[in-house]
């Protein structure tokens, strides 16, 4: 109804404000990070992320899967780029944790200011937006979606599919060493998961375009389930490969 530029602007303001405010949270009130970081940064990032996908799909309507896959691919690649930078900044020899929040806020403000002029819809796209007289039809379509069991099945799949990876991710270093990997092997595994995440998101979008979203989702869930079962006893390079595949 209002296009993507206003939500992106609002999301950017919330995102940057959340990071800056996080830098002023005192150690005695650490719970405030649930509001400033977990709440504001997540909300702002969600607005920007969703608008970026919509913008890409509007520019490539015939390759919507690839367009959205390219956006989420860059999100995965950011892990590879930002992880070593943040690890360096938060060290006691550098800025420290709270000052790092402030540095990230300033950095992302500059990046968003540069990217914002390019966040626009194709010429004439807004002219095709639904008129007020069409609003009931749009509302009816939304209600039909909410009554469709397939929607809730897809929502359930999207909720549980990343569960295994995000359970392992915070413990990746500990698990890697306990499963026979060296310290350098664990570091390379963490970096490799960033590349794998970026590639997987891009390939999934392409798969949706070629074999359909249902088959692509079934394939991804099948691979995830297999990896989860094998990870229970995998060791060494086998564990390394399964984590990357997952």
């Amino acid at each position: 109804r209002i296009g993507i530029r206003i939500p992106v602007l609002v999301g950017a303001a919330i995102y940057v404000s959340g990071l800056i405010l996080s830098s002023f949270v005192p150690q005695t009130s650490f719970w405030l990070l649930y509001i400033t970081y977990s709440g504001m940064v997540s909300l702002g990032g969600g607005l920007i992320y969703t608008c970026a996908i919509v913008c890409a799909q509007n520019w490539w309507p015939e390759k919507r899967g690839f367009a959205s896959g390219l956006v989420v691919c860059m999100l995965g690649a950011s892990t590879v780029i930002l992880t070593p930078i943040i690890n360096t900044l938060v060290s006691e020899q550098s800025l420290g944790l709270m000052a790092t929040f402030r540095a990230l806020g300033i950095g992302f403000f500059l990046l968003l200011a540069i990217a914002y002029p390019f966040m626009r819809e194709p010429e004439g796209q807004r002219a095709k937006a639904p008129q007020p007289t069409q609003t009931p039809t749009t509302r009816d379509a939304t209600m039909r979606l909410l009554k469709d069991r397939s929607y809730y099945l897809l929502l359930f799949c999207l909720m549980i599919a990343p569960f295994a990876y995000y359970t392992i991710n915070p413990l990746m270093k500990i698990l890697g060493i306990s499963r026979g990997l060296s310290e350098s092997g664990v570091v390379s595994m963490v970096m490799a998961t960033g590349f794998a995440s970026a590639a997987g998101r891009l390939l999934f979008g392409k798969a949706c375009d070629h074999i359909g979203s249902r088959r692509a989702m079934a394939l991804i869930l099948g691979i995830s389930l297999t990896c989860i079962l094998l990870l229970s006893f995998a060791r060494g390079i086998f564990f390394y490969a399964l984590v990357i595949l997952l």
Side-chain angles (χ1 to χ4, degrees):
R1 295 184 180 182
I2 61 175
I4 61 172
R5 292 178 66 83
I6 293 178
V8 167
L9 192 62
V10 173
I14 296 174
Y15 187 87
V16 172
S17 298
L19 287 171
I20 298 296
L21 290 174
S22 295
S23 68
F24 294 104
V25 172
Q27 292 186 356
T28 54
S29 302
F30 216 70
W31 60 270
L32 288 172
L33 287 175
Y34 286 107
I35 300 174
T36 59
Y37 187 76
S38 300
M40 295 179 66
V41 173
S42 298
L43 177 61
L47 285 170
I48 299 170
Y49 174 71
T50 304
C51 290
I53 291 178
V54 171
C55 180
Q57 290 180 341
N58 284 342
W59 279 97
W60 292 288
E62 70 285 355
K63 296 181 179 180
R64 297 172 69 87
F66 175 76
S68 57
L70 188 61
V71 173
V72 296
C73 168
M74 293 299 102
L75 180 65
S78 66
T79 304
V80 180
I81 300 171
L82 292 177
T83 298
I85 296 175
I86 294 174
N87 283 340
T88 301
L89 292 177
V90 299
S91 65
E92 295 182 358
Q93 293 77 22
S94 187
L95 298 179
L97 178 60
M98 291 307 176
T100 298
F101 280 126
R102 195 177 304 119
L104 289 174
I106 296 172
F108 280 117
F109 171 79
L110 295 175
L111 288 174
L112 289 167
I114 294 172
Y116 181 72
F118 300 97
M119 293 285 290
R120 56 186 178 83
E121 295 157 307
E123 197 69 31
Q125 184 74 31
R126 294 293 298 127
K128 299 177 183 179
Q131 300 300 317
T133 55
Q134 296 176 297
T135 302
T137 303
T138 305
R139 187 180 298 114
D140 291 343
T142 303
M143 293 305 297
R144 285 197 300 271
L145 177 66
L146 294 176
K147 293 178 181 179
D148 189 351
R149 289 184 298 177
S150 297
Y151 168 75
Y152 293 99
L153 178 61
L154 179 60
L155 182 63
F156 177 72
C157 289
L158 291 175
M159 288 174 62
I160 65 170
F163 183 77
Y165 175 76
Y166 287 113
T167 300
I168 294 173
N169 191 43
L171 305 172
M172 203 174 291
K173 183 175 181 180
I174 298 173
L175 289 173
I177 293 175
S178 67
R179 295 299 180 90
L181 295 176
S182 64
E183 186 95 17
S184 59
V186 172
V187 172
S188 69
M189 182 178 69
V190 173
M191 297 293 290
T193 57
F195 287 110
S197 176
R201 295 164 194 244
L202 185 60
L203 292 174
F204 180 72
K206 290 286 289 183
C208 288
D209 288 334
H210 287 285
I211 64 175
S213 56
R214 285 180 177 270
R215 291 181 179 178
M217 180 66 73
L219 177 63
I220 292 296
L221 291 175
I223 293 174
S224 299
L225 179 59
T226 303
C227 289
I228 294 168
L229 295 174
L230 294 176
L231 276 171
S232 60
F233 59 83
R235 296 186 62 83
I237 193 66
F238 188 35
F239 177 83
Y240 186 109
L242 287 174
V243 169
I244 294 174
L245 185 59
L246 181 62

